[in-house]
């Protein structure tokens, strides 16, 4: 399947020597996230940041984090360094990050200038990343900063497909919609010749609009579409049935329009390499929330991932910090213990036997920090999304077996999902149709 080359993949292609003398901890590009503010000008109904505020990061706070990051002092080099991570991604989030666009500009300038001064190994392998709601995109200062850093910047505007789906969740505090602002920003960025990533968030309130949303994205000019179901509680079998039917409509649309999944089109809902059992020795954690990522909040408190921050946990659990910009990282027994525990977490430790030996485990995802939010420990696994993964498994079998046959590809996607699981979502007649498609040559 065609997918835009990621930064770590580009590093791998351009710098093959980075693979030499590697270790199990070696990551080609590690992400450090700056929460420049926890304020937002929207009030999206599905947002995982359930405890927003009005804090903004001071430049002095950001400067302390950068100095520690580049010098490796105060324990930072044990957590992230150019040997473990030859490339660096500096990510800016909020709330809405463009509320603090001048601060973002200051931070980017300081990082690059400081790297030049000390001839840091990350200098030519550092990228910046911003994901915005698009509300402030056309402001002159925002345009100035985006143009200044565009050659080092991955910028995206969240557009949840079409107007109906987008405005069902992505609204202003007074209930006003935001679709027109978001799509205007996305179109302008792409019209200027820049790549625009996509991110469609599927929730119980908008799952019935998935087909219209994704086909609308295609009409807008997107050829890489990332869509995912939220991890949070609220999914029911009726939502899985709805997703299956929506994905069937998408499958038929893709086939009718000869979408080329081999070379020119990608949709994350459809993955021919997923929905089968995992090897027992495949213990990799799904996300980087077990100690691979690093985040700093407006007050300078350091976390292993942004979802361990107070703005995401909303009082359900205590923030799971591992340091701060003044004293450093892992400088007390509590923080050392947290990091050591996170490093030991893997798919086996987080999963029950039902999850670990699941017949469609491949491609199933989870959020380690959300597990902490729900259970009080990151070494657990919330399974609210399970029924939606089952629906995707069925819809993928429907699509790929038709795709293979239409394109005369001598392959079939086998149905690993047990019949009793399938019948919670589709009828027996539909199940028999999928079985026949999977078995026929």
């Amino acid at each position: 399947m065609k997918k835009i080359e990621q930064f770590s993949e580009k590093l791998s292609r351009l710098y093959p020597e980075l693979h030499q003398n590697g270790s199990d901890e070696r990551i080609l590009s590690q992400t450090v996230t700056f929460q420049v503010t926890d304020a937002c000008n929207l009030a999206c109904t599905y947002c995982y940041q359930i405890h927003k505020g009005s804090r903004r990061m001071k430049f002095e706070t950001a400067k302390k984090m950068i100095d520690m990051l580049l010098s490796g002092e105060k324990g930072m080099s044990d957590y992230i360094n150019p040997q473990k991570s030859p490339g660096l991604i500096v990510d800016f989030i909020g709330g809405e990050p463009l509320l603090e666009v001048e601060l973002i500009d200051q931070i980017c300038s300081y990082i690059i200038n400081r790297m030049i001064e000390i001839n840091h190994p990350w200098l030519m392998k550092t990228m910046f990343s911003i994901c915005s709601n698009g509300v402030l995109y056309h402001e002159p200062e925002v345009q100035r900063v985006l143009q200044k850093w565009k050659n080092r910047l991955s910028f995206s505007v969240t557009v949840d497909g079409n107007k109906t789906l987008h405005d069902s969740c992505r609204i202003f505090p007074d209930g006003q919609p935001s679709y027109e602002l978001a799509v205007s920003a996305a179109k302008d960025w792409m019209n200027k010749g820049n790549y625009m990533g996509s991110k469609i968030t599927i929730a119980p309130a908008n799952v019935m609009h998935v087909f219209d949303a994704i086909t609308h994205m295609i009409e807008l000019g997107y050829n890489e579409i990332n869509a995912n179901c939220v991890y949070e509680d609220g999914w029911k079998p009726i939502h899985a049935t709805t997703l299956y039917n929506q994905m069937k409509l998408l499958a038929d649309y893709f086939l009718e329009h000869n979408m080329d999944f081999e070379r020119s089109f990608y949709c994350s809902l459809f993955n021919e390499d997923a929905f089968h059992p995992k090897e027992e020795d495949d213990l990799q954690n799904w996300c980087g929330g077990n100690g691979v990522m690093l985040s700093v909040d407006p007050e300078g408190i350091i976390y292993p991932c942004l979802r361990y921050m107070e703005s995401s946990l909303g009082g359900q659990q205590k923030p799971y910090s591992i340091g701060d910009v003044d004293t450093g990282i892992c400088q007390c027994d509590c923080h050392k213990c947290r990091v050591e525990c996170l490093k030991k977490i893997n798919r086996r430790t987080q999963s029950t036997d039902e999850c670990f030996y699941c017949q469609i485990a491949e491609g199933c995802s989870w959020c380690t920090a959300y597990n902490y939010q729900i259970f009080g420990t990151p070494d657990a696994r919330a399974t609210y999304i399970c029924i939606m993964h089952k629906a995707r498994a069925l819809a993928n079998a429907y699509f790929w077996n038709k795709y293979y046959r239409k394109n005369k590809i001598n392959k079939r996607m086998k149905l690993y999902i047990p019949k009793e699981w399938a019948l919670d979502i589709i009828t027996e007649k539909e199940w028999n149709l999928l079985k026949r498609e999977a078995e026929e040559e």
Side-chain angles (χ1 to χ4, degrees), residues 288-305:
N290 63 332
V292 175
M293 298 185 290
L294 199 60
S295 301
V296 57
D297 77 358
E299 304 299 327
I301 309 299
I302 301 171
Y303 300 87
C305 168

Side-chain angles (χ1 to χ4, degrees), residues 329-380:
I329 190 169
C330 297
Q331 297 299 292
C332 68
D333 289 342
C334 175
H335 293 160
K336 289 178 183 176
C337 181
R338 285 177 174 177
V339 170
E340 286 304 311
C341 289
L342 288 172
K343 286 182 177 179
K344 292 177 180 178
I345 291 173
N346 60 37
R347 186 172 73 92
R348 174 66 276 193
T349 68
Q350 284 189 299
S351 305
T352 62
D353 284 351
E354 181 182 8
C355 282
F356 190 74
Y357 297 107
C358 175
Q359 291 300 296
I360 54 170
E362 187 66 50
C364 185
S365 59
W366 63 92
C367 172
T368 301
Y370 180 61
N371 295 337
Y372 170 69
Q373 181 178 341
I374 296 300
F375 301 110
T377 172
D379 197 18

Side-chain angles (χ1 to χ4, degrees), residues 318-332:
K318 292 182 179 179
Y320 200 83
S321 63
I322 56 173
D324 63 74
V325 298
D326 291 311
T327 61
I329 190 169
C330 297
Q331 297 299 292
C332 68

Side-chain angles (χ1 to χ4, degrees), residues 30 78 94 142 202 205 214 216 281 283 290 295 333 345 363 371 421 435:
Q30 195 158 338
D78 293 331
V142 170
I202 304 170
I214 290 180
H216 183 64
D281 61 356
L283 301 179
N290 63 332
S295 301
D333 289 342
I345 291 173
N371 295 337
W421 294 2
K435 287 288 288 183

Side-chain angles (χ1 to χ4, degrees), residues 16 28 59 64 105 161 186 237 280 430:
L28 288 185
F59 176 63
K64 289 179 182 178
D105 185 27
E280 288 189 30
E430 187 75 8

Side-chain angles (χ1 to χ4, degrees), residues 392-411:
R392 282 187 63 210
L394 294 167
N396 270 261
Y398 175 89
F399 170 68
W400 287 110
N401 287 321
K402 286 183 176 294
Y403 181 86
Y404 296 148
R405 182 170 285 108
K406 178 175 181 179
N407 291 282
K408 297 181 171 54
I409 300 172
N410 188 27
K411 292 169 66 175

Side-chain angles (χ1 to χ4, degrees), residues 140-406:
E141 182 63 11
V142 170
Q143 285 299 302
R144 182 190 70 80
V145 173
L146 293 180
Q147 289 303 307
K148 176 179 177 180
W149 296 106
K150 67 178 183 180
N151 293 328
R152 279 190 185 261
L153 178 65
S154 171
F155 176 70
S156 61
V157 175
T158 301
V159 179
D160 276 355
N162 65 349
K163 182 175 175 59
T164 303
L165 187 149
H166 186 101
D167 287 342
S168 66
C169 296
R170 301 189 63 79
I171 54 177
F172 284 89
D174 64 0
Q176 292 297 308
S178 67
Y179 172 81
E180 298 297 341
L181 290 169
V183 79
S184 172
K187 281 183 175 180
D188 184 74
W189 185 252
M190 289 190 290
N191 288 340
K192 289 176 178 174
N194 302 306
Y195 168 73
M196 172 61 71
S198 63
K199 185 178 182 297
I200 296 176
T201 303
I202 304 170
N206 64 22
V207 66
M208 69 290 295
H209 302 303
V210 167
F211 170 75
D212 289 338
I214 290 180
T215 53
H216 183 64
M217 295 290 282
I218 294 170
E219 292 167 1
L220 289 175
Y222 288 82
N223 58 14
E224 179 181 334
I225 299 173
N226 292 287
N228 67 279
C229 294
V230 297
Y231 296 111
E232 286 79 4
D233 192 9
W235 294 116
K236 295 179 172 56
I238 186 62
H239 298 128
T241 301
T242 301
L243 180 63
Y244 174 76
N245 290 329
Q246 290 287 299
M247 288 183 65
K248 270 187 70 177
L249 291 173
L250 276 175
D252 292 340
Y253 175 92
F254 295 155
L255 293 166
E256 180 184 347
H257 289 79
N258 296 312
M259 309 296 285
D260 188 350
F261 276 72
E262 302 297 318
R263 288 181 291 273
S264 60
F265 183 72
Y266 172 82
C267 178
S268 65
L269 290 176
F270 296 88
N271 184 347
E272 62 180 328
D273 298 321
F275 314 108
H276 56 77
K278 274 184 171 289
E279 297 293 333
E280 288 189 30
D281 61 356
D282 183 355
L283 301 179
Q284 185 173 351
N285 194 49
W286 173 265
C287 71
N290 63 332
V292 175
M293 298 185 290
L294 199 60
S295 301
V296 57
D297 77 358
E299 304 299 327
I301 309 299
I302 301 171
Y303 300 87
C305 168
L306 62 96
R307 288 200 65 161
Y308 289 108
M309 294 179 179
E310 181 184 4
S311 56
S312 297
L313 297 174
Q316 288 181 257
Q317 304 292 346
K318 292 182 179 179
Y320 200 83
S321 63
I322 56 173
D324 63 74
V325 298
D326 291 311
T327 61
I329 190 169
C330 297
Q331 297 299 292
C332 68
D333 289 342
C334 175
H335 293 160
K336 289 178 183 176
C337 181
R338 285 177 174 177
V339 170
E340 286 304 311
C341 289
L342 288 172
K343 286 182 177 179
K344 292 177 180 178
I345 291 173
N346 60 37
R347 186 172 73 92
R348 174 66 276 193
T349 68
Q350 284 189 299
S351 305
T352 62
D353 284 351
E354 181 182 8
C355 282
F356 190 74
Y357 297 107
C358 175
Q359 291 300 296
I360 54 170
E362 187 66 50
C364 185
S365 59
W366 63 92
C367 172
T368 301
Y370 180 61
N371 295 337
Y372 170 69
Q373 181 178 341
I374 296 300
F375 301 110
T377 172
D379 197 18
R381 187 165 168 183
T383 57
Y384 304 125
I385 200 174
C386 179
I387 189 73
M388 306 307 284
H389 183 66
K390 293 172 182 176
R392 282 187 63 210
L394 294 167
N396 270 261
Y398 175 89
F399 170 68
W400 287 110
N401 287 321
K402 286 183 176 294
Y403 181 86
Y404 296 148
R405 182 170 285 108
K406 178 175 181 179

